[in-house]
Amino acid sequence: AERTTPAPTIPVPSSTNHVSPSPFYLVDPVCGSGTLLTEGLLMKSNTPPGHFRKNAPYGFRHMNIYDETLWTKILSEADDQIVPLSPQDVFVLANDSNPACVATTKRNLANIGFHPMTYRNIELLKGPFQTLRERAKIPSLPANASMFIAANPPYGIRLESSADQTELQTLYSEIGDFFKLFSRQVQGVQDKRAVVIGPAQLTKAVRLKAGTLNVDMSGLSYSIKRFKMFD
């Protein structure tokens, strides 16, 4: 099914004032092409939108009022706010049942400067998320670390039968179980949060207490549920 993702919804506070953030663990059990993970890393490093598309043919550059000097200045000031992330502080777990998606995630992470050969704590796995807890290498994180689990599971635009609806509700319920059980596996971390994105009739199947944000994008309605996880 076609999916248009409101990606910048991971509750990841960006870094400011050139102060390196504390260690953090980003997890996406159904990563697809890695959109939520790449957006989370860009937010964490305070990388401005469009940083990797500076030479894109933006339409405004052809307007009479366009000022190349001003545009260059804006880009420079935005780049000055980027906070480099140390490989020892970045922990990422990406998983998908589709091997092609995992390969695309790896490529997209590398395209924004987070290549697994440099950032050795990036783990890319292939398989159903229901078995991810057994397959993942849970890192040993310091007490000042934070963990963010994000998921934008499949949901389809047209649910053609009640069987489809039941199957998807079960999937979202299992996502909620994963959030809860995986969070318990990560020991010693106080700040644990999670977010799931999908239609309201499906996200409510997650069955965890959440703050909810409803968003309409590209003709689709999303329910974004954010959770504070506890051991």
Coordinates of all heavy atoms in Angstrom, one line a residue, residues 13-70:
P13 N 14.9 15.0 21.1 CA 15.3 16.4 21.2 C 16.6 16.6 20.5 O 17.5 15.8 20.6 CB 15.5 16.6 22.7 CG 15.7 15.2 23.3 CD 15.0 14.3 22.4
S14 N 16.7 17.6 19.7 CA 17.9 17.9 18.9 C 18.9 18.5 19.8 O 18.7 19.0 20.9 CB 17.6 18.9 17.8 OG 17.1 20.1 18.3
S15 N 20.2 18.4 19.4 CA 21.3 18.9 20.1 C 21.5 20.4 19.8 O 21.2 20.8 18.7 CB 22.6 18.2 19.8 OG 22.4 16.8 20.0
T16 N 21.9 21.2 20.7 CA 22.1 22.6 20.5 C 23.4 23.1 21.1 O 24.0 22.4 21.9 CB 20.9 23.4 21.1 OG1 20.9 23.1 22.5 CG2 19.6 23.1 20.5
N17 N 23.8 24.3 20.6 CA 25.0 24.9 21.2 C 26.3 24.1 21.1 O 27.2 24.2 21.9 CB 24.8 25.3 22.7 CG 23.6 26.3 22.8 OD1 23.4 27.1 22.0 ND2 22.9 26.1 23.9
H18 N 26.3 23.3 20.0 CA 27.5 22.4 19.7 C 27.8 21.5 20.9 O 29.0 21.1 21.0 CB 28.7 23.3 19.4 CG 28.5 24.1 18.1 ND1 27.7 25.3 18.1 CD2 28.9 23.9 16.9 CE1 27.7 25.8 16.9 NE2 28.4 24.9 16.1
V19 N 26.9 21.2 21.7 CA 27.1 20.3 22.8 C 26.7 18.9 22.4 O 25.6 18.6 22.0 CB 26.3 20.7 24.1 CG1 26.5 19.6 25.2 CG2 26.7 22.0 24.6
S20 N 27.7 18.0 22.4 CA 27.4 16.6 22.0 C 26.3 16.0 22.9 O 26.4 16.1 24.1 CB 28.7 15.8 22.0 OG 28.4 14.5 21.6
P21 N 25.3 15.3 22.3 CA 24.3 14.7 23.1 C 24.8 13.5 23.9 O 25.8 12.9 23.6 CB 23.2 14.3 22.1 CG 24.0 14.0 20.9 CD 25.1 15.0 20.9
S22 N 24.0 13.1 24.9 CA 24.3 11.9 25.6 C 24.0 10.7 24.7 O 23.3 10.8 23.7 CB 23.5 11.8 26.9 OG 22.1 11.8 26.6
P23 N 24.5 9.5 25.0 CA 24.3 8.3 24.2 C 22.8 8.1 24.0 O 22.0 8.3 24.9 CB 25.0 7.2 24.9 CG 26.0 7.9 25.8 CD 25.4 9.2 26.1
F24 N 22.4 7.5 22.8 CA 21.0 7.3 22.6 C 20.9 6.0 21.7 O 21.8 5.7 21.0 CB 20.3 8.5 21.9 CG 20.9 8.8 20.6 CD1 20.4 8.3 19.4 CD2 22.0 9.7 20.5 CE1 20.9 8.7 18.2 CE2 22.6 10.0 19.3 CZ 22.0 9.5 18.1
Y25 N 19.7 5.4 21.8 CA 19.4 4.1 21.1 C 18.2 4.3 20.3 O 17.1 4.5 20.9 CB 19.3 3.0 22.1 CG 19.2 1.6 21.6 CD1 19.7 1.2 20.4 CD2 18.6 0.6 22.4 CE1 19.7 -0.1 20.0 CE2 18.6 -0.7 22.0 CZ 19.1 -1.0 20.8 OH 19.1 -2.4 20.4
L26 N 18.3 4.3 19.0 CA 17.1 4.4 18.1 C 16.7 3.0 17.6 O 17.6 2.3 17.1 CB 17.4 5.3 16.9 CG 17.6 6.8 17.2 CD1 17.8 7.6 15.9 CD2 16.4 7.4 17.9
V27 N 15.5 2.7 17.7 CA 15.0 1.4 17.3 C 13.8 1.5 16.4 O 12.8 2.2 16.7 CB 14.7 0.5 18.5 CG1 14.2 -0.9 18.1 CG2 15.8 0.4 19.5
D28 N 13.8 0.8 15.3 CA 12.6 0.7 14.4 C 12.5 -0.8 14.0 O 13.3 -1.3 13.2 CB 12.8 1.6 13.2 CG 11.4 1.7 12.4 OD1 10.6 0.8 12.6 OD2 11.3 2.6 11.6
P29 N 11.5 -1.5 14.6 CA 11.3 -2.9 14.3 C 10.7 -3.2 12.9 O 10.8 -4.3 12.4 CB 10.3 -3.3 15.4 CG 9.5 -2.1 15.7 CD 10.5 -1.0 15.5
V30 N 10.1 -2.2 12.3 CA 9.6 -2.4 10.9 C 10.1 -1.2 10.1 O 9.3 -0.3 9.6 CB 8.0 -2.4 10.9 CG1 7.6 -3.8 11.5 CG2 7.5 -1.3 11.8
C31 N 11.4 -1.1 9.8 CA 12.0 0.1 9.4 C 11.7 0.5 7.9 O 11.9 1.7 7.6 CB 13.5 0.0 9.5 SG 14.3 -1.3 8.5
G32 N 11.3 -0.4 7.1 CA 11.0 0.0 5.7 C 12.3 0.5 5.1 O 13.4 -0.1 5.1
S33 N 12.3 1.8 4.5 CA 13.5 2.4 3.9 C 14.3 3.1 4.9 O 15.3 3.8 4.6 CB 13.1 3.3 2.8 OG 12.2 4.3 3.2
G34 N 13.9 3.1 6.2 CA 14.7 3.8 7.2 C 14.4 5.2 7.5 O 15.1 6.0 8.1
T35 N 13.2 5.7 7.0 CA 12.8 7.1 7.1 C 12.8 7.6 8.5 O 13.4 8.7 8.8 CB 11.4 7.4 6.5 OG1 11.5 7.0 5.1 CG2 11.1 8.8 6.6
L36 N 12.2 6.9 9.4 CA 12.1 7.4 10.8 C 13.5 7.4 11.5 O 13.8 8.3 12.3 CB 11.2 6.5 11.6 CG 9.7 6.5 11.2 CD1 8.9 5.6 12.1 CD2 9.1 7.9 11.3
L37 N 14.3 6.4 11.2 CA 15.7 6.4 11.7 C 16.5 7.5 11.2 O 17.2 8.2 12.0 CB 16.3 5.1 11.4 CG 15.7 3.8 12.1 CD1 16.3 2.5 11.6 CD2 15.8 3.9 13.6
T38 N 16.5 7.8 9.9 CA 17.3 8.9 9.3 C 16.8 10.2 9.8 O 17.6 11.1 10.2 CB 17.3 8.8 7.8 OG1 15.9 8.9 7.3 CG2 18.0 7.6 7.3
E39 N 15.5 10.4 9.9 CA 15.0 11.7 10.5 C 15.4 11.8 11.9 O 15.7 12.9 12.4 CB 13.4 11.7 10.3 CG 12.9 11.8 8.9 CD 13.1 13.2 8.3 OE1 13.5 14.1 9.1 OE2 12.9 13.4 7.1
G40 N 15.3 10.8 12.7 CA 15.7 10.8 14.1 C 17.2 11.2 14.2 O 17.5 12.1 15.1
L41 N 18.1 10.7 13.4 CA 19.5 11.0 13.5 C 19.7 12.4 13.0 O 20.6 13.1 13.6 CB 20.3 10.0 12.6 CG 20.4 8.6 13.2 CD1 20.9 7.7 12.1 CD2 21.3 8.6 14.4
L42 N 19.0 12.9 12.0 CA 19.2 14.3 11.6 C 18.7 15.3 12.6 O 19.3 16.3 12.9 CB 18.4 14.5 10.3 CG 18.9 13.8 9.0 CD1 18.0 14.0 7.9 CD2 20.3 14.3 8.7
M43 N 17.6 14.9 13.3 CA 17.2 15.8 14.4 C 18.1 15.8 15.6 O 18.4 16.8 16.2 CB 15.8 15.3 14.9 CG 14.7 15.5 13.9 SD 13.2 14.6 14.4 CE 12.8 15.4 15.9
K44 N 18.7 14.6 15.9 CA 19.6 14.5 17.0 C 20.9 15.3 16.8 O 21.5 15.8 17.7 CB 19.9 13.0 17.3 CG 20.5 12.7 18.6 CD 19.5 12.9 19.7 CE 20.1 12.5 21.1 NZ 19.1 12.8 22.2
S45 N 21.3 15.3 15.5 CA 22.5 16.1 15.2 C 22.2 17.5 14.8 O 23.1 18.2 14.4 CB 23.2 15.4 14.0 OG 22.4 15.3 12.9
N46 N 21.0 17.9 14.9 CA 20.6 19.3 14.6 C 20.9 19.6 13.1 O 21.2 20.8 12.8 CB 21.2 20.3 15.5 CG 20.3 21.5 15.7 OD1 19.1 21.4 15.8 ND2 21.0 22.7 15.8
T47 N 20.8 18.6 12.2 CA 21.1 18.9 10.8 C 19.9 19.5 10.2 O 18.7 19.0 10.3 CB 21.4 17.5 10.1 OG1 22.6 17.0 10.8 CG2 21.7 17.8 8.7
P48 N 20.0 20.6 9.5 CA 18.8 21.3 8.9 C 18.2 20.6 7.7 O 19.0 19.8 7.0 CB 19.4 22.7 8.5 CG 20.9 22.4 8.2 CD 21.3 21.4 9.2
P49 N 16.9 20.7 7.5 CA 16.3 20.1 6.4 C 17.0 20.5 5.1 O 17.3 21.7 4.9 CB 14.8 20.6 6.5 CG 14.7 20.9 7.9 CD 16.0 21.5 8.4
G50 N 17.1 19.6 4.1 CA 17.7 20.0 2.9 C 19.2 20.1 2.9 O 19.8 20.5 1.9
H51 N 19.9 19.7 4.0 CA 21.3 19.8 4.1 C 22.0 19.1 3.0 O 23.1 19.5 2.5 CB 21.8 19.4 5.5 CG 23.3 19.3 5.6 ND1 24.0 20.4 5.8 CD2 24.1 18.3 5.6 CE1 25.3 20.1 5.9 NE2 25.4 18.8 5.8
F52 N 21.5 17.9 2.6 CA 22.1 17.1 1.6 C 21.6 17.4 0.2 O 21.9 16.6 -0.7 CB 22.0 15.6 2.0 CG 22.6 15.3 3.3 CD1 21.8 15.2 4.5 CD2 24.0 15.0 3.4 CE1 22.4 14.9 5.7 CE2 24.6 14.7 4.6 CZ 23.8 14.6 5.7
R53 N 20.8 18.4 0.1 CA 20.3 18.8 -1.3 C 20.5 20.3 -1.5 O 19.7 21.0 -2.1 CB 18.8 18.5 -1.3 CG 18.4 17.0 -1.1 CD 16.9 16.8 -1.1 NE 16.4 17.0 -2.4 CZ 15.5 17.9 -2.8 NH1 15.1 18.8 -1.8 NH2 15.1 18.0 -4.0
K54 N 21.7 20.8 -1.2 CA 21.9 22.2 -1.3 C 21.9 22.7 -2.7 O 21.6 23.9 -3.0 CB 23.3 22.5 -0.7 CG 23.4 22.3 0.8 CD 24.7 22.7 1.4 CE 24.8 22.5 2.9 NZ 26.1 22.7 3.4
N55 N 22.3 21.8 -3.7 CA 22.3 22.2 -5.1 C 21.0 21.8 -5.8 O 21.1 21.8 -7.1 CB 23.5 21.6 -5.7 CG 24.8 22.2 -5.1 OD1 24.9 23.4 -4.9 ND2 25.8 21.3 -4.9
A56 N 20.0 21.5 -5.1 CA 18.8 21.1 -5.8 C 18.2 22.3 -6.5 O 18.3 23.4 -6.1 CB 17.8 20.6 -4.7
P57 N 17.5 22.0 -7.6 CA 16.9 23.1 -8.4 C 15.6 23.7 -7.8 O 14.6 23.6 -8.4 CB 16.6 22.4 -9.8 CG 16.3 21.0 -9.4 CD 17.2 20.7 -8.2
Y58 N 15.8 24.3 -6.6 CA 14.6 24.9 -6.0 C 14.0 26.0 -6.8 O 14.8 26.8 -7.4 CB 15.0 25.5 -4.6 CG 15.5 24.4 -3.6 CD1 16.8 24.4 -3.1 CD2 14.6 23.5 -3.1 CE1 17.2 23.5 -2.2 CE2 15.0 22.5 -2.2 CZ 16.3 22.5 -1.7 OH 16.7 21.6 -0.8
G59 N 12.7 26.0 -6.9 CA 12.1 27.0 -7.8 C 12.3 28.4 -7.4 O 12.4 29.3 -8.3
F60 N 12.4 28.7 -6.1 CA 12.6 30.1 -5.7 C 13.9 30.7 -6.1 O 14.1 31.9 -6.2 CB 12.5 30.2 -4.1 CG 13.6 29.5 -3.4 CD1 14.9 30.2 -3.2 CD2 13.5 28.3 -2.8 CE1 15.9 29.6 -2.5 CE2 14.5 27.6 -2.1 CZ 15.7 28.3 -2.0
R61 N 14.9 29.8 -6.5 CA 16.2 30.4 -7.0 C 16.1 31.0 -8.4 O 17.0 31.7 -8.8 CB 17.2 29.2 -7.0 CG 17.4 28.6 -5.7 CD 18.5 27.5 -5.7 NE 19.8 28.1 -5.8 CZ 21.0 27.4 -5.7 NH1 20.9 26.1 -5.5 NH2 22.1 28.0 -5.8
H62 N 14.9 30.9 -9.0 CA 14.7 31.5 -10.3 C 13.8 32.7 -10.2 O 13.5 33.3 -11.2 CB 14.0 30.5 -11.3 CG 14.9 29.2 -11.5 ND1 16.0 29.2 -12.2 CD2 14.7 28.0 -11.0 CE1 16.5 28.0 -12.2 NE2 15.8 27.2 -11.5
M63 N 13.5 33.1 -9.0 CA 12.6 34.3 -8.8 C 13.5 35.6 -8.9 O 14.7 35.5 -8.6 CB 11.9 34.2 -7.5 CG 10.9 33.0 -7.4 SD 10.1 32.9 -5.8 CE 9.2 34.3 -5.7
N64 N 12.8 36.7 -9.3 CA 13.6 37.9 -9.4 C 14.1 38.4 -8.1 O 15.2 39.1 -8.0 CB 12.6 39.0 -10.0 CG 12.3 38.7 -11.4 OD1 13.0 38.0 -12.1 ND2 11.1 39.2 -11.9
I65 N 13.5 38.1 -7.0 CA 13.9 38.6 -5.7 C 15.0 37.7 -5.0 O 15.5 38.0 -3.9 CB 12.7 38.7 -4.7 CG1 12.1 37.3 -4.5 CG2 11.7 39.7 -5.2 CD1 11.0 37.3 -3.4
Y66 N 15.3 36.6 -5.7 CA 16.3 35.7 -5.1 C 17.7 36.3 -5.0 O 18.2 37.0 -5.9 CB 16.5 34.4 -6.0 CG 17.6 33.5 -5.6 CD1 17.5 32.8 -4.4 CD2 18.7 33.3 -6.4 CE1 18.5 31.9 -4.0 CE2 19.7 32.5 -6.0 CZ 19.6 31.8 -4.8 OH 20.6 30.9 -4.4
D67 N 18.3 36.1 -3.8 CA 19.6 36.7 -3.5 C 20.5 35.6 -3.1 O 20.4 35.0 -2.1 CB 19.4 37.7 -2.3 CG 20.7 38.4 -1.9 OD1 21.8 37.9 -2.2 OD2 20.6 39.6 -1.4
E68 N 21.5 35.3 -4.0 CA 22.4 34.2 -3.8 C 23.3 34.4 -2.6 O 23.5 33.5 -1.9 CB 23.3 34.1 -5.1 CG 24.3 33.0 -5.0 CD 23.7 31.6 -5.1 OE1 22.6 31.4 -5.7 OE2 24.3 30.6 -4.6
T69 N 23.7 35.6 -2.4 CA 24.5 35.9 -1.2 C 23.8 35.6 0.1 O 24.3 35.0 1.0 CB 25.0 37.4 -1.2 OG1 25.7 37.6 -2.4 CG2 25.9 37.7 0.0
L70 N 22.5 36.1 0.2 CA 21.7 35.8 1.3 C 21.5 34.3 1.5 O 21.5 33.8 2.7 CB 20.4 36.5 1.2 CG 19.4 36.3 2.4 CD1 20.0 36.7 3.7 CD2 18.1 37.1 2.1

